[in-house]
Amino acid sequence: MNRRSFIQSVGILTGSAFIALNAEALGIRQTGSPVKGKVTDGKKGISNVVISDGFSVVVTDANGGYSLTPHEKATSIFMSTPAGYEFKTDYNLVRQYENITGKNSFDFKLQPLKRNDTNHHFIIWADPQVKNKKDVQQMMDTSVPDTIETIKSLGRDALVHGICVGDIVWDNHELYPDYNAAVAQMGIPFFQALGNHDMDYRMGGDETSDVTFKKVYGPTYYSFNRGKAHYVVMDDVRYLGTEREYDGYITEDQLAWLAKDLQYVDKDRLLIINLHIPVYNQVKNNQDFYALLKGFKNVHIMSGHTHYNDNNLGNGVYEHNHGTVCGGWWTGPICGDGTPRGYAVYEVIGTELKWYYKSTGLPKENQLSLYVEKLTDQMRLMANVWNYDPQWKVAYLLDGKPMGALPQETGFDPLAVTLYKGDQLPVGRKFVEPIQTDHLFVTHFSPSVKKVRVEVTDRFGNKYSSEIAAK
């Protein structure tokens, strides 16, 4: 099926489906009245399934039944899909929720998985951020087929889902159907987080800034499970109500909900939290957030927003701040720090997590870039190892002779400087600029050297290398 057909098919997700949904909801449920329902596998009820309205959190009883009284601000009832079951989707967009209408009953039907989900994969897309149809075309021609090939490489029977950590579009909500078409083509269940460019501006304050997103994708915070991993999606973008002003902040309502949600999660489970703005340096109340995670032994945060790749370990968590699908806002092949545009691939093995960064259009083995520059009386080698963390090893060889570890420095990626530095570059989006990064490794060597090689070993023992002629 071609892209136009996909857009026509999934366009219903942003249009007539919601008109129909509202049309059948002409009755108005009285505030304060309880909502009841049942979670089944089609035959019998499923117990201990978490159900929430974003404020209250309850679990189903032995027969799969639940009852809760929705908060006056609640807009949906959602289920934290339990491990061992398929995600409920429409054209691969995950829909584990029901919009609150005039009804007082909402049932959920689950389909058991055909295989054990203790081991599975997931893919993180950060900031597709399409602004116009030209951007969409690039995404469909490059990012989508690359992701499809990566999914295929994981094996025919692999369990894989995707999570987009925000900035699905670039203020242009009319392009949601194009993103939905991309998700439909990729063929795996996809969850979505809200980014600052996914908000409705000039429509009031923070509580009304997510109206369009909720219409298309449902609640802005929720949870789900697969295998021994508990996943949480959160909204950490607070709209301040003036033009496009926002900050990184997790509302008190969300923190209260998260505390209740985590009460039903064993502390030894793998906990994966997905949101847009990086928590460690840009969320104002991050200490309140971290306090809720105490006691969990294996916590990973997935974020985007910055348009660079950075790994941060602190506060008892490992935060992966991802390079973007769009790179330099669709103007070039790399982000401002030199990270190739791409996405991350994660493997869950029980409660263990492994990962790598996949550069769009390049093989999995592409994990570093090399530059050699001639100075006055010596040569300089620079290696950009974009997914580096302190457990990686970076070494170099000169004409085949091992020289030991390559010193780490902070600076600018040379290609990023060439493509983006200055008020005339890049053409079309001149605001893009190179970004300083600390995943650079630099040394100097004699002009007599003819060949330079850099070898890196990631925290999982995987070895990668690249070689360049010393000119």
Side-chain angles (χ1 to χ4, degrees), residues 198-240:
D198 300 317
M199 296 192 299
D200 297 301
Y201 296 117
R202 297 181 294 275
M203 290 181 61
D206 187 53
E207 291 188 356
T208 56
S209 65
D210 53 13
V211 171
T212 301
F213 182 94
K214 285 182 175 179
K215 269 190 174 182
V216 182
Y217 301 114
T220 59
Y221 58 94
Y222 53 91
S223 66
F224 60 95
N225 304 274
R226 177 147 279 185
K228 295 180 180 180
H230 182 69
Y231 295 81
V232 179
V233 175
M234 301 198 75
D235 168 13
D236 66 344
V237 185
R238 180 173 62 172
Y239 180 48
L240 301 177

Side-chain angles (χ1 to χ4, degrees), residues 354-370:
K354 294 183 176 182
W355 60 87
Y356 67 91
Y357 186 88
K358 176 63 175 67
S359 305
T360 301
L362 296 170
K364 172 184 175 181
E365 291 72 25
N366 183 64
Q367 295 295 325
L368 68 156
S369 54
L370 299 186

Side-chain angles (χ1 to χ4, degrees), residues 83-84 113 115-121 159 226-229 231 269-270 347-352:
L113 285 166
R115 52 153 292 186
N116 186 283
D117 60 355
T118 301
N119 297 346
H120 61 272
H121 293 80
L159 281 176
R226 177 147 279 185
K228 295 180 180 180
Y231 295 81
R269 293 276 162 151
L270 173 61
E347 181 181 12
V348 177
I349 306 169
T351 58
E352 180 184 2

Side-chain angles (χ1 to χ4, degrees), residues 20-78:
L21 183 64
N22 291 332
E24 68 180 23
L26 295 177
I28 299 176
R29 186 183 59 81
Q30 292 185 354
T31 301
S33 61
V35 164
K36 298 181 179 181
K38 195 170 185 179
V39 180
T40 70
D41 62 4
K43 296 180 181 180
K44 62 180 181 180
I46 304 172
S47 62
N48 296 315
V49 178
V50 171
I51 304 292
S52 179
D53 65 341
F55 298 88
S56 300
V57 176
V58 300
V59 295
T60 56
D61 59 26
N63 298 313
Y66 74 90
S67 176
L68 64 80
T69 300
H71 191 276
E72 61 182 7
K73 294 192 292 186
T75 59
S76 61
I77 301 292
F78 55 90

